[in-house]
Amino acid sequence: MAKQQRVVIVGGGVIGLLTAFNLAAQVEHVVLLDRSGVGQESSWAGGGIVSPLYPWRYNLAVTALAHWSQDFYPHLAQRLLAETGLDPEVHTTGLYWLDLEDEAQALAWAKREGRPLSSVDISDVERAVPVLGAGDYSRAIYMAGVANVRNPRLVKSLRAALQAMPNVTIEEHCKVEGFIQKGEKILGVKTAQGERLADHVVLAAGAWSGELLSSLGLELPVEPVKGQMIMYKCAPDFLSSMVLAKGRYAIPRRDGHILIGSTLEHEGFDKTPTQSALESLKASAVELIPALAGAEPVAHWAGLRPGSPEGIPYIGRVAGVEGLWLNCGHYRNGLVLAPASCHLFADLLLGREPIIDPRPYAPEGRI
């Protein structure tokens, strides 16, 4: 691709930010538009586990992106820290799954995929994670090397890196209202602040992507799926590992904050935190970590995931509409899959050899 190309990215979450980060050195100008503030929706609200919650239950297309990203995240964090002084805090703790119904399937998947997942005795879990209510569980599996990223800080560091690039423009509170179209070609987008022209328009608007694409008469099956979480403040060494049981998880940050999540609700675009979810999450927290029984959460919030069929994102060119691209629909795994998704996207837009087979993510035939 010629370097004089202009790219407009619609959506300033981690997917949009990292797409801009990967393209900026190769194109003339990148304009990143967000309807509110960058990274304030799903990217801010997630837990940041750098693994799908149950990786063996996913389509191989999701697994391929996850594996690449897991290996790449430490390098990305080091680069962002060096460039911006803001640490995304990729915190490697390992992850325990307790009393899995499909443990045999998980272990078979790990053997087939060459992942370091193994069965461990529950007494070993009690010794490794003494605050865990392990006496209430009988079986455990453990994957070493699984990290979590402090997603609000990842957003801040990506934003700072982009702001330091002279050919990147970030426009917040700039809602895209439609596309500028001539025949079968997209020439840019219409916003409340005026038109933004481009050689390529990238739709990376998370849960809002389907609504935007519908203005072109295209049906993209991406819908909002609400998730609520709570957070406690504990000592930095309180919880040594991530833990997952009965669909709920505990994530330790380096400074002692513990995240408990999450709900899965189909409530449209309503992201109001509810008392019922708060009580449910508190009960899960105490079940996982009995020492939290007397503690009160320091925060409770909700976000909207971009739900998609099988959680397989849409990455690539929209067939029949020249100049329009998708990088969206990551469902529960946007933070996990972002490095691979955005590298693959840049490969496709720039005409490079793709890092993995792009066919499972192609919009063609799926919308």
Side-chain angles (χ1 to χ4, degrees):
M1 174 189 287
K3 186 136 181 178
Q4 62 270 21
Q5 298 285 322
R6 181 181 177 90
V7 180
V8 166
I9 299 170
V10 182
V14 164
I15 298 295
L17 290 164
L18 198 50
T19 298
F21 187 72
N22 286 345
L23 289 176
Q26 304 298 323
V27 301
E28 181 187 15
H29 196 187
V30 176
V31 178
L32 184 73
L33 307 175
D34 196 273
R35 59 194 290 278
S36 56
V38 298
Q40 296 303 300
E41 297 290 350
S42 185
S43 298
W44 179 90
I49 302 176
V50 186
S51 170
L53 292 184
Y54 303 97
W56 53 90
R57 297 178 187 173
Y58 278 93
N59 186 290
L60 290 175
V62 175
T63 302
L65 291 172
H67 287 182
W68 195 95
S69 292
Q70 285 168 321
D71 294 338
F72 187 76
Y73 246 117
H75 307 289
L76 175 63
Q78 289 164 10
R79 179 179 171 186
L80 288 171
L81 176 58
E83 290 187 13
T84 69
L86 297 169
D87 188 357
E89 292 191 18
V90 174
H91 183 31
T92 302
T93 66
L95 174 57
Y96 288 97
W97 288 265
L98 306 176
D99 284 3
L100 273 174
E101 293 179 359
D102 55 352
E103 181 176 312
Q105 182 185 341
L107 293 170
W109 169 86
K111 185 176 182 180
R112 186 175 67 247
E113 296 291 326
R115 307 309 282 181
L117 179 68
S118 59
S119 179
V120 293
D121 192 90
I122 202 70
S123 62
D124 294 334
V125 183
E126 291 172 348
R127 281 190 291 272
V129 192
V131 297
L132 188 66
D136 299 325
Y137 303 97
S138 59
R139 303 186 321 280
I141 60 174
Y142 178 67
M143 187 184 288
V146 181
N148 65 78
V149 61
R150 197 159 182 174
N151 33 305
R153 299 196 179 187
L154 174 63
V155 165
K156 287 180 181 178
S157 59
L158 280 169
R159 176 184 174 149
L162 291 174
Q163 286 177 321
M165 296 176 178
N167 66 327
V168 176
T169 302
I170 298 175
E171 293 191 55
E172 297 179 287
H173 307 288
C174 185
K175 184 179 179 182
V176 171
E177 299 173 336
F179 298 91
I180 304 166
Q181 190 173 14
K182 184 178 181 181
E184 297 298 310
K185 184 175 175 60
I186 297 297
L187 303 176
V189 296
K190 302 170 186 175
T191 80
Q193 284 85 2
E195 295 184 344
R196 301 292 182 267
L197 300 177
D199 300 292
H200 304 278
V201 172
V202 185
L203 191 54
W208 288 266
S209 298
E211 281 198 338
L212 282 167
L213 207 56
S214 67
S215 68
L216 293 174
L218 297 171
E219 188 174 337
L220 178 70
V222 173
E223 61 176 3
V225 182
K226 183 177 178 179
Q228 299 188 51
M229 298 186 68
I230 58 176
M231 182 170 69
Y232 294 86
K233 181 65 173 79
C234 304
D237 58 353
F238 177 76
L239 181 64
S240 57
S241 176
M242 293 182 285
V243 184
L244 198 158
K246 299 180 182 177
R248 295 279 170 87
Y249 51 77
I251 305 171
R253 300 298 198 214
R254 287 180 186 165
D255 64 0
H257 280 104
I258 309 292
L259 276 64
I260 305 291
S262 64
T263 65
L264 204 61
E265 308 165 60
H266 292 268
E267 300 285 347
F269 286 94
D270 174 25
K271 56 173 188 172
T272 309
T274 62
Q275 187 65 29
S276 59
L278 175 61
E279 296 305 322
S280 174
L281 290 163
K282 286 169 68 174
S284 293
V286 173
E287 188 173 3
L288 279 169
I289 306 169
L292 293 176
E296 279 300 314
V298 296
H300 172 208
W301 66 89
L304 299 174
R305 310 174 184 90
S308 59
E310 293 189 84
I312 302 172
Y314 298 86
I315 306 171
R317 188 191 302 271
V318 176
V321 187
E322 188 181 348
L324 183 62
W325 301 74
L326 302 183
N327 193 1
C328 57
H330 293 75
Y331 193 23
R332 305 190 75 174
N333 296 307
L335 287 157
V336 188
L337 307 182
S341 296
C342 298
H343 199 298
L344 174 62
F345 180 87
D347 290 342
L348 296 172
L349 190 131
L350 298 170
R352 302 184 307 212
E353 181 71 23
I355 51 166
I356 57 174
D357 182 359
R359 288 174 295 180
Y361 321 101
E364 188 171 5
R366 299 176 64 207
I367 63 173

